[in-house]
């Protein structure tokens, strides 16, 4: 369904007037790649894998693809090693460096072990219990941060109500975020031959305060036997990174082309 909507999303992006705030002089010159979790925060676990390891592997490969093919684009990583980075700091890195795109890389998990496929999230309202579950799991990383109750203004990562309130805040670059997310999922399906679960919305703290188009990519389920095996291989990580890069190249062409 998401793939069928992609041509319409691209057409809509070109044909309607996007707000002056979001498009004035906007070009894709700097990208921040955020490898989820790290250090004491392993993220979700597979039978023999850790989210933090796979997320870093994909992130580094993606950065290499962008640097090699677009030497004019500045690539910044929130982490390049196995270290813990607080969620608020990840957004601050992007904001301070005036990034034009924020890409957060993650892996998924399911208690049933039947869930599989990719999905790309933008900041927005939870449309299903499953989306809320993903957001709660990813946001739970703040419990490893010092004084998180004060820093995140009393936000409770275990509270449904807190996440619902958080999801009301939408990125000013919502249209661009949805466009990039759609391109990513299209490439996952076409290039990487993955099962795309489409573009989704949820309230993620790591996306909450970013001031540019931002997405959180779930590259697959570590709790699904075959998907975990795929994501643990160098070839699998390379195909995922390559698919995201293809989407990046398409997005850059669309964004920069509109400014010429």
């Amino acid at each position: 369904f998401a793939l069928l909507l992609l041509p319409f999303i691209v057409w809509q992006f070109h044909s309607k007037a996007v707000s002056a705030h979001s498009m004035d002089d906007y070009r894709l010159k700097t990208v921040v790649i955020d490898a989820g979790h790290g250090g004491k925060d392993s993220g979700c676990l597979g039978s023999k894998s850790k989210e933090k390891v796979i997320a870093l592997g994909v992130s580094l490969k993606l950065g290499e693809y962008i640097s090699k093919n677009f030497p004019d684009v500045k690539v910044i990583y929130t982490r390049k090693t196995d270290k813990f980075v607080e969620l608020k700091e990840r957004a601050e890195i992007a904001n301070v460096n005036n990034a034009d795109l924020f890409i957060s890389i993650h892996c998924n998990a399911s208690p049933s072990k039947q869930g599989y496929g990719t999905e790309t999230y933008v900041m927005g309202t939870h449309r299903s219990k499953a989306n809320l579950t993903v957001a709660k799991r990813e946001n739970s990383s703040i419990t490893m941060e010092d004084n998180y109750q004060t820093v995140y203004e009393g936000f409770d990562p275990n509270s449904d109500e807190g996440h619902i309130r958080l999801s009301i805040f939408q990125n000013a670059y919502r249209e661009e975020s949805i466009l990039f997310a759609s391109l990513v999922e299209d490439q996952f399906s076409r290039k990487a031959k993955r099962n795309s679960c489409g573009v989704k919305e949820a309230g993620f703290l790591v996306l909450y305060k970013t001031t540019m188009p931002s997405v959180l990519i779930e590259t697959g389920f570590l709790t699904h036997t075959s998907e975990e095996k795929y994501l643990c291989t160098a070839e699998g990580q390379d195909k995922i990174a390559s698919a995201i890069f293809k989407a990046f190249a398409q997005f850059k062409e669309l964004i920069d082309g509109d400014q010429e």
Side-chain angles (χ1 to χ4, degrees):
F1 178 70
L3 302 185
L4 293 175
L5 282 177
L6 180 58
F8 172 75
I9 293 171
V10 174
W11 171 82
Q12 184 183 49
F13 179 80
H14 277 298
S15 63
K16 72 183 292 187
V18 184
S19 68
H21 169 71
S22 65
M23 288 302 292
D24 274 355
D25 300 320
Y26 175 64
R27 290 180 180 272
L28 219 175
K29 304 180 291 294
T30 302
V31 58
V32 168
I33 301 174
D34 172 46
H37 308 279
K40 61 184 178 181
D41 178 11
S42 295
C44 65
L45 303 174
S47 63
K48 57 180 179 181
S49 61
K50 295 180 179 179
E51 179 180 4
K52 67 174 184 177
V53 175
I54 294 173
L56 182 59
V58 172
S59 295
L60 294 177
K61 289 177 184 292
L62 172 60
E64 289 174 5
Y65 273 120
I66 294 174
S67 295
K68 179 180 179 180
N69 290 276
F70 294 101
D72 58 318
V73 174
K74 185 177 182 180
V75 178
I76 297 170
Y77 302 88
T78 58
R79 68 180 182 96
K80 296 183 73 175
T81 59
D82 182 20
K83 71 174 184 177
F84 180 73
V85 182
E86 296 183 348
L87 291 185
K88 69 178 185 303
E89 184 181 348
R90 297 169 190 263
E92 288 171 359
I93 290 171
N95 294 340
V96 167
N97 285 281
N98 296 312
D100 305 299
L101 181 63
F102 179 84
I103 306 172
S104 190
I105 307 293
H106 291 259
C107 299
N108 220 332
S110 171
S112 69
K113 298 187 179 181
Q114 298 303 310
Y116 76 104
T118 64
E119 46 195 39
T120 301
Y121 284 88
V122 300
M123 188 69 187
T125 305
H126 306 294
R127 298 184 183 276
S128 73
K129 185 67 175 179
N131 293 13
L132 175 59
T133 299
V134 173
K136 288 174 73 173
R137 188 186 71 247
E138 298 294 2
N139 289 340
S140 68
S141 294
I142 67 171
T143 61
M144 300 183 187
E145 301 178 18
D146 294 332
N147 200 26
Y148 75 89
Q149 294 95 338
T150 301
V151 171
Y152 295 96
E153 301 173 340
F155 176 78
D156 180 0
N158 297 311
S159 164
D160 287 8
E161 292 75 16
H163 280 85
I164 291 171
R165 287 196 296 271
L166 178 64
S167 70
I168 294 173
F169 295 93
Q170 295 182 349
N171 192 297
Y173 294 86
R174 174 177 169 78
E175 291 186 23
E176 294 89 336
S177 299
I178 292 175
L179 172 62
F180 179 64
S182 300
L183 293 170
V184 169
E185 286 301 314
D186 180 61
Q187 287 295 333
F188 279 155
S189 177
R190 296 176 187 275
K191 180 175 178 59
K193 306 301 180 184
R194 309 312 295 161
N195 173 55
S196 169
C197 297
V199 176
K200 301 184 178 183
E201 299 182 32
F204 292 95
L205 286 171
V206 74
L207 303 181
Y208 169 42
K209 290 191 176 181
T210 54
T211 56
M212 71 288 302
S214 305
V215 302
L216 185 147
I217 301 172
E218 297 284 2
T219 57
F221 285 75
L222 297 185
T223 47
H224 188 276
T225 303
S226 63
E227 203 151 55
E228 178 189 22
K229 182 178 179 181
Y230 175 86
L231 289 171
C232 283
T233 65
E235 180 183 3
Q237 291 178 22
D238 186 72
K239 285 185 177 180
I240 290 293
S242 178
I244 300 172
F245 165 72
K246 290 287 186 182
F248 173 88
Q250 290 177 306
F251 184 68
K252 180 172 171 57
E253 182 178 2
L254 288 168
I255 292 293
D256 290 0
D258 271 9
Q259 303 303 304
E260 294 176 355

